Structure formats: C-alpha cells, structure tokens
Amino acid sequence: MPTYNVFTSNLALTNFQKNKIATEISQIHETATGADSFFAQIIFHKIDENSHFLGTKKVITKQIFLHGEIREGRSDKVKNKLIISLRDALINFSGVDKENIWVYIIDLKPKQMIEYGEILPKPGDESIWFKSLSANLQNKLKNF
C-alpha cells in the first residue's frame, strides 16, 4: 500500500545497501502502521550528475530523498515515528549525514488507490480487503 521512492544524488548505493534499506523501510512501515510489510514497494532512483540544484547552485554533497506515499488516516504521532525511523535507517545504511537526508510522507485517500487489482481499504480494514483477494494471490503475498 505504501510506495517509497528513494532518490540519491552524488551517491551510488551498492546492492547490499539497497537491500538493507528496502528491508528496513518495509519493517519500519509495518511496525509504525500495522500494515503487512509485503505491501511496501521501495523503488531506487539515481539522480543524474549535474541534475540536482538548490536554487542556482549545483549540489555536490551526497544526498538522499525519500518520498513515501501512504494511505490517509494515520495519526500525526504514527507519521512522526515513521519519518524519524525512516531517516535513521537511511543514515545507518547509506553513510549519508543527517543534514543531507530528506523524508516526505504524502497521504493518499485509500479509495483513490488500486493495488493487486483492488481498491484499497481504510487503515485497519486490511484483513477484510485481503480476504477479498484470490486464494492464489493471498498465498503469494503470505510468502513475501
């Protein structure tokens, strides 16, 4: 249900780092929100050289931007825990300094999202939604 896009600037993450960051993001999302980790999509993007500016100045330091789209309906307390934990995971597994980590969480209305072919439920209604999926898809998702 969440999609996390991780953008790196002036930094090439190794496959090991990507795997660790993806695992951490999935687990953090599950812990903070209660939604199963198999819903989390993590997509990595590398910003091309000479394509990142702050105002008129080219950025030359290593930077990471995490843009997360999650379902609307979670408290500020939950979202605060989520963004702090995500920031800390990026620091731990990238080696990028805290001041060069950017985390943005965007709420989307569940009824405006489709995943696995079905409109998403409100937070807390995942089990009802999950039971509406085909048996094959349920088995596949349980094995993630």
Side-chain angles (χ1 to χ4, degrees):
M1 295 176 186
T3 299
Y4 291 99
N5 286 283
V6 180
F7 296 86
T8 57
S9 180
N10 303 310
L11 171 68
L13 295 172
T14 66
N15 287 335
F16 176 80
Q17 288 173 303
K18 289 178 184 178
N19 285 326
K20 292 301 276 184
I21 289 169
T23 298
E24 285 294 306
I25 289 172
S26 298
Q27 291 173 349
I28 288 166
H29 187 87
E30 181 174 21
T31 300
T33 68
D36 287 317
S37 64
F38 61 74
F39 288 115
Q41 293 189 84
I42 300 89
I43 304 166
F44 291 89
H45 310 270
K46 187 173 184 325
I47 298 171
D48 292 337
E49 188 176 344
N50 299 312
S51 295
H52 180 196
F53 291 77
L54 281 174
T56 61
K57 304 285 185 197
K58 185 173 82 164
V59 174
I60 59 172
T61 57
K62 294 177 181 177
Q63 307 266 327
I64 296 182
F65 301 86
L66 188 145
H67 294 252
E69 297 168 330
I70 65 173
R71 285 178 297 152
E72 176 182 78
R74 299 200 170 83
S75 70
D76 289 342
K77 182 179 179 181
V78 166
K79 288 188 276 188
N80 188 58
K81 179 181 179 181
L82 180 64
I83 63 173
I84 296 297
S85 298
L86 292 168
R87 178 206 60 201
D88 292 347
L90 291 173
I91 292 168
N92 291 339
F93 295 106
S94 71
V96 173
D97 295 329
K98 178 180 172 179
E99 63 269 13
N100 294 323
I101 302 285
W102 310 69
V103 178
Y104 303 96
I105 298 295
I106 300 162
D107 287 328
L108 298 175
K109 293 183 184 306
K111 63 183 175 184
Q112 295 175 338
M113 303 166 68
I114 288 181
E115 291 188 6
Y116 299 111
E118 299 295 334
I119 294 174
L120 295 181
K122 293 179 183 176
D125 290 342
E126 291 87 0
S127 63
I128 296 167
W129 177 85
F130 188 79
K131 290 175 185 174
S132 75
L133 302 176
S134 72
N136 285 341
L137 182 54
Q138 288 181 35
N139 288 332
K140 176 183 170 184
L141 296 175
K142 287 177 186 177
N143 290 319
F144 266 84

